[in-house]
Each structure stands twice: as structure tokens, then as C-alpha cells.
């Protein structure tokens, strides 16, 4: 197994603070199942639970629409990673997926733009994006990113790891205060 420690991995994903951890192909059916699990696990914390659910759906749809990794054994479903953590006074929704390196500058620019705006400016930016034409493969011109930041009332956190070849791995996280 090389340097992979299964028991360390199992311990990590079995921690009580991991509410959801998934890596694999995404489908609308799986998202519906995850949604039901999220609602069930967070039913005691309705306000934050609704926010976590809404943000999870926005970010998971980004993976579903834009991941460049596909499941070659099934229906070529897009592949990504979805994580929800309970970190004490907040929840953290994290998604990760492969993207083209050529898409990174625009993606990073959109996230930085969202992070540079206050709440009122984000609302105005969202209105502008709704009437703007789509850019390239974008289905919503970044409206989901704006909505995630508005819903969380927090910044987007992004991490990029360049991979060999034409791909990079893009990780997006949003903190939701309880």
C-alpha cells in the first residue's frame, strides 16, 4: 500500500466532527441523498443547518457542473470531493474537484472579487451577474459563489494544487457560524 495508512485515514474520517465525507462520482440522486442526511444531522440547529444545506448545494452543483474528472466506469459522471465539518462554533463546507489550469485565473478572480465586496455590494454584484451573458462553460457566471458568500456571511476560502498536465485541483471552503 506504499505510504498510505488506511487506519490513519479511517480515523480521520470517523471523527465526530466529520458530518459528511465523500469522494466519487456525483449524480442528482446522490446529492438528494446527501441533502437528506445533512438536514437530518443538522435539524437541531435550524438556522445554521439551513445555511449549511444551501451552501452545500451551491458548491456541490459547481462540482457536478464543472469537474474535469469523470467516472469512466459509469455514465461519465463528474467526480469530486464533498466534506462538511463541525468545528465547534461553526460548520465548514468544503468541496474539491479537478479543473483545467487555464480556468484557474478566472476562477480565482471570481472568488477574489466576491471576497472583496461587502454584503450590499455582493447583492448588487449578484444582480449584475444575473443579467450578464455566460462566460465560456459557465452556467451561472459565478452567481453560486456570490450566493454562498451571502448565505454564509463569510468569505470564500480557496486552495489550488497544480497537478501534472493540464489539470489542477481546486478546493473551495465556506465557514458557517452557528
Amino acid at each position: 500500500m506504499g505510504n498510505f495508512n488506511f487506519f490513519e485515514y479511517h480515523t480521520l474520517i470517523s471523527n465526530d466532527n466529520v458530518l459528511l465525507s465523500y469522494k466519487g462520482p456525483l449524480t442528482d440522486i446522490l446529492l438528494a441523498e446527501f441533502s437528506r442526511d445533512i438536514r437530518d444531522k443538522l435539524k437541531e440547529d435550524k438556522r445554521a443547518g439551513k445555511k449549511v444545506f444551501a451552501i452545500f448545494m451551491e458548491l456541490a452543483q459547481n462540482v457536478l457542473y464543472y469537474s474535469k474528472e469523470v467516472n469512466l466506469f459509469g455514465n461519465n459522471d463528474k467526480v469530486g470531493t464533498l466534506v462538511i465539518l463541525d468545528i465547534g462554533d461553526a460548520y465548514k463546507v468544503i468541496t474539491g474537484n479537478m479543473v483545467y489550469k487555464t480556468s484557474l485565473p478566472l476562477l480565482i478572480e471570481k472568488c477574489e472579487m466576491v471576497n472583496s465586496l461587502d454584503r450590499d455590494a455582493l447583492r448588487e454584484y449578484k444582480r449584475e451577474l444575473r443579467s450578464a451573458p455566460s462566460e465560456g462553460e459557465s452556467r451561472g457566471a459565478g452567481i453560486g459563489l456570490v450566493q454562498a458568500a451571502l448565505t454564509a456571511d463569510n468569505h470564500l476560502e480557496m486552495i489550488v494544487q497544480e497537478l501534472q498536465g493540464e489539470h489542477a485541483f481546486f478546493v473551495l471552503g465556506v465557514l458557517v457560524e452557528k
Side-chain angles (χ1 to χ4, degrees):
M1 286 198 238
N3 59 3
F4 179 74
N5 184 328
F6 177 82
F7 296 107
E8 195 173 291
Y9 168 77
H10 187 264
T11 299
L12 183 65
I13 64 169
S14 299
N15 282 338
D16 287 343
N17 71 333
V18 178
L19 301 178
L20 175 85
S21 174
Y22 176 79
K23 183 204 183 301
L26 292 179
T27 64
D28 291 329
I29 294 169
L30 272 174
L31 287 182
E33 290 294 324
F34 294 146
S35 298
R36 188 174 28 244
D37 287 348
I38 293 166
R39 286 184 182 142
D40 188 52
K41 288 180 178 176
L42 300 177
K43 65 185 174 194
E44 302 301 321
D45 192 354
K46 289 187 181 196
R47 187 178 152 274
K50 284 182 180 179
K51 287 183 174 186
V52 168
F53 173 75
I55 292 165
F56 172 82
M57 291 307 293
E58 291 289 350
L59 301 187
Q61 284 177 347
N62 281 344
V63 173
L64 187 64
Y65 296 152
Y66 304 119
S67 178
K68 297 307 172 203
E69 184 180 4
V70 294
N71 177 13
L72 299 176
F73 296 107
N75 298 325
N76 290 329
D77 296 318
K78 303 291 179 107
V79 173
T81 303
L82 312 171
V83 177
I84 300 176
L85 302 173
D86 180 343
I87 53 174
D89 58 352
Y91 297 103
K92 190 160 195 174
V93 181
I94 306 167
T95 60
N97 60 280
M98 265 194 220
V99 298
Y100 288 128
K101 287 179 183 173
T102 55
S103 300
L104 283 174
L106 182 60
L107 193 53
I108 291 169
E109 179 184 322
K110 284 181 179 182
C111 290
E112 289 175 346
M113 175 69 161
V114 168
N115 287 342
S116 72
L117 301 174
D118 65 19
R119 191 163 185 79
D120 290 336
L122 273 175
R123 287 185 175 145
E124 180 59 34
Y125 184 50
K126 184 177 167 184
R127 282 190 284 274
E128 288 174 22
L129 290 176
R130 279 190 177 146
S131 59
S134 296
E135 300 168 349
E137 65 175 329
S138 178
R139 293 182 181 200
I143 292 173
L145 297 174
V146 174
Q147 188 58 47
L150 278 169
T151 302
D153 201 18
N154 230 325
H155 287 107
L156 306 174
E157 299 172 23
M158 59 189 150
I159 303 170
V160 174
Q161 182 178 34
E162 293 209 13
L163 306 172
Q164 289 185 343
E166 64 184 351
H167 293 104
F169 198 81
F170 182 77
V171 177
L172 187 61
V174 180
L175 194 67
V176 179
E177 308 290 334
K178 289 184 178 176

